[in-house]
Amino acid sequence: MAKNKDLTAEELIAKKVRTSNGWTRFWAIVLALVLVAGVAAFGKTQANKQNELIDEEASKYAEAMANVQANAGGQSWNDGGAAAPQGGGVADEKSEAAAKAINDATKAAASGAGYDWARNCQYTKSVDVGSATDVLNNVIKGVDKNASVDSVVGGFIGIGDNKTTIPKGKEFKDVWAYHAANYKLKGTELKASDLKDLKVEGDTYTFSLADATTPKKDGSTPISRLTDDIVVQEEVASEIQQQVGSAIKVNSLVGIYSNIKVEVVITDGKLQKFSYSYDAEVQELALKVAVVGVKGTGAMHTEATYSNFVY
């Protein structure tokens, strides 16, 4: 095995990741969304699921109507008389200008600027996977005797304080290898209608985004047009498949991202600060480890900031 002095920078980063996270990374992925949670029992009937969907749509409608009453002039409908899309208000000139400014500035910064990154993620509910806890801990400890459900889940979703500096011209992955694709600055694709409660004060833009149910990294929801700092079922299932084959299956996942707040500072067209925060939970998660079904509860709050840009 090569000594540290013989390793490349990338190999040193990889070694550091292995050391800090152990060899239980795939268990973190298996359990990550258990932790993000409020997980419902697996055995819900299709009728109950349908009722939940109906309740959810009714809640969205009620919120939309409340926005109509709250907005000056009652504007929350588009020119064709249809309700504005979920996550958006009226795409007025102020919102159009703000969305363009933010998208242009973040894309320019993401294309090679240096910056400081800081992310704080904390449990708002501790990990509890019920009777499956002992089973999972036994399997995890078979891989790493010092690891547990708590430690590997926390490692995966970045519980605690994480920060680093990305030098100008460097890729995020060159400095921070573990889940770099999720955490690197993204050139946003925000729509004017995404910017709820938009305020523009000098160089500072503040707004919120609509809640997202099981968002994908495909730009189909406001949060996915803002950041890739979300966990999706396909990625979880894919990495588990690569690591342990069919021994563990992700049967279903319904996750909710809420209370999404954003602040952006742009001076003379250049991004100076970009920060967001959100709460996350899972309403339904079904995992199967061998023949053991897993369910659990938990929750987290995340805050991330990109600052001190160097162009």
Side-chain angles (χ1 to χ4, degrees):
M1 181 177 296
K3 296 180 180 179
N4 282 351
K5 66 180 181 179
D6 299 322
L7 297 178
T8 66
E10 290 77 10
E11 288 170 337
L12 285 169
I13 292 171
K15 182 174 181 180
K16 181 178 179 181
V17 169
R18 288 196 298 271
T19 300
S20 62
N21 293 282
W23 292 100
T24 58
R25 200 179 301 174
F26 57 91
W27 294 113
I29 295 170
V30 176
L31 297 170
L33 292 212
V34 173
L35 198 248
V36 185
V39 183
F42 304 157
K44 291 184 178 179
T45 64
Q46 288 300 111
N48 283 341
K49 289 181 180 178
Q50 185 63 33
N51 287 338
E52 289 175 359
L53 290 173
I54 292 171
D55 289 343
E56 180 181 342
E57 291 303 316
S59 177
K60 290 177 183 176
Y61 179 77
E63 180 181 355
M65 293 306 295
N67 287 337
V68 171
Q69 297 175 354
N71 289 333
Q75 295 182 355
S76 68
W77 305 89
N78 61 28
D79 291 339
Q86 180 187 1
V90 176
D92 57 18
E93 291 183 4
K94 175 182 173 183
S95 298
E96 293 282 1
K100 185 179 188 306
I102 294 167
N103 292 341
D104 289 348
T106 55
K107 287 174 183 176
S111 67
Y115 55 86
D116 290 338
W117 167 75
R119 183 177 184 273
N120 179 275
C121 183
Q122 298 294 337
Y123 300 142
T124 53
K125 287 184 182 178
S126 59
V127 183
D128 181 2
V129 289
S131 60
T133 302
D134 289 342
V135 173
L136 291 169
N137 272 331
N138 286 337
V139 177
I140 290 170
K141 289 182 182 298
V143 180
D144 183 343
K145 65 181 181 180
N146 297 315
S148 67
V149 172
D150 289 323
S151 66
V152 295
V153 173
F156 176 78
I157 62 175
I159 288 293
D161 288 308
N162 290 299
K163 61 183 179 180
T164 193
T165 296
I166 310 299
K168 180 180 178 180
K170 288 288 187 179
E171 295 286 339
F172 198 101
K173 64 183 179 180
D174 295 333
V175 179
W176 189 275
Y178 193 56
H179 287 182
N182 290 0
Y183 300 147
K184 69 179 181 180
L185 178 68
K186 177 176 180 174
T188 62
E189 295 284 355
L190 292 166
K191 299 179 180 180
S193 57
D194 292 338
L195 311 183
K196 298 175 60 179
D197 306 316
L198 173 65
K199 293 181 180 179
V200 182
E201 298 177 336
D203 293 342
T204 302
Y205 302 78
T206 58
F207 55 93
S208 60
L209 301 179
D211 296 355
T213 301
T214 318
K216 297 180 181 296
K217 297 179 182 180
D218 60 0
S220 62
T221 57
I223 192 172
S224 70
R225 292 191 282 271
L226 179 85
T227 179
D228 286 330
D229 187 3
I230 54 179
V231 182
V232 297
Q233 181 179 341
E234 290 80 4
E235 290 180 0
V236 174
S238 175
E239 193 159 346
I240 291 171
Q241 184 71 29
Q242 293 174 19
Q243 297 289 350
V244 297
S246 60
I248 300 172
K249 294 182 179 179
V250 182
N251 291 332
S252 66
L253 169 64
V254 179
I256 302 292
Y257 287 76
S258 64
N259 195 28
I260 307 165
K261 308 293 184 183
V262 186
E263 180 182 44
V264 184
V265 180
I266 301 170
T267 302
D268 296 329
K270 291 186 176 181
L271 187 63
Q272 305 299 318
K273 179 183 177 183
F274 176 80
S275 63
Y276 59 82
S277 62
Y278 61 74
D279 295 312
E281 66 176 354
V282 167
Q283 289 192 336
E284 180 180 282
L285 174 68
L287 298 175
K288 183 169 286 188
V289 182
V291 295
V292 179
V294 177
K295 61 181 180 179
T297 59
M300 72 176 187
H301 176 75
T302 298
E303 299 179 357
T305 299
Y306 304 76
S307 61
N308 298 324
F309 285 87
V310 178
Y311 293 91

